[in-house]
Amino acid sequence: MKRYDEMLPAGIWRRLDHIGVAVSDLEITANKYQQLGFTEIERENLPEQGVEVVMLDGGNCRLELLAPLRDNSPIARFIDKRGQGLQHIAFETKSLDTALADLATRNIVPISPPSIGAGGNRVAFLHPRDTEGVLLELVEYP
Ligand code: CO
């Protein structure tokens, strides 16, 4: 039997990895989602990004709750401008460098160079102006 991994398509966007939700108060929202039946699977601070993260198991896709660690973090600015709610959609990519090189040939560059995101994975974000309004995250597992 083929491994799930081998059945994934070869392109940049392999599979939906998680959906990012911006929240003001991590405790309140994590509790609310647990009341909705979601299970917390991971919790971590990402000081460089200025966020505190709770990952929830959503069956075939995880939900990433993101709360600001400081007032000037991108997630704090997002909430100031647009309120709580859907913030980004993340797809797994096999090789972040290959994906970004491919996108660069189409004049699409990430918002900033790849960094280490939730779960210790390498990540990069594409600006909503390049995606017709959706902040897209690329995730490469170690
Ligand atoms: Co994310």
Side-chain angles (χ1 to χ4, degrees):
M1 176 156 15
K2 270 189 156 180
R3 282 174 40 214
Y4 171 65
D5 215 38
E6 293 165 346
M7 298 189 293
L8 292 168
I12 294 173
W13 311 98
R14 293 186 101 186
R15 67 173 185 94
L16 186 60
D17 185 75
H18 65 266
I19 294 171
V21 178
V23 308
S24 306
D25 186 308
L26 202 55
E27 292 317 313
I28 290 173
T29 307
N31 285 336
K32 212 166 257 180
Y33 273 82
Q34 283 173 39
Q35 285 165 20
L36 292 171
F38 290 91
T39 308
E40 184 175 322
I41 48 177
E42 212 164 28
R43 179 177 286 247
E44 66 186 306
N45 279 3
L46 299 171
E48 279 165 47
Q49 277 101 337
V51 292
E52 201 180 355
V53 176
V54 163
M55 279 288 187
L56 301 168
D57 183 0
N60 70 342
C61 180
R62 295 172 302 159
L63 280 182
E64 181 183 57
L65 305 180
L66 304 144
L69 276 176
R70 48 175 196 268
D71 288 344
N72 60 351
S73 64
I75 205 78
R77 289 199 300 269
F78 178 92
I79 292 169
D80 282 348
K81 256 196 260 173
R82 316 198 21 197
Q84 298 192 101
L86 285 184
Q87 202 255 350
H88 68 268
I89 299 179
F91 288 86
E92 183 187 351
T93 193
K94 187 175 182 186
S95 159
L96 191 54
D97 293 332
T98 305
L100 294 179
D102 187 299
L103 290 165
T105 67
R106 304 167 215 194
N107 295 319
I108 296 167
V109 293
I111 294 171
S112 48
S115 61
I116 301 300
N121 301 321
R122 275 180 87 220
V123 303
F125 290 87
L126 302 186
H127 197 281
R129 78 173 155 259
D130 290 325
T131 62
E132 307 301 324
V134 179
L135 179 60
L136 279 183
E137 180 180 6
L138 289 148
V139 181
E140 178 195 283
Y141 282 75

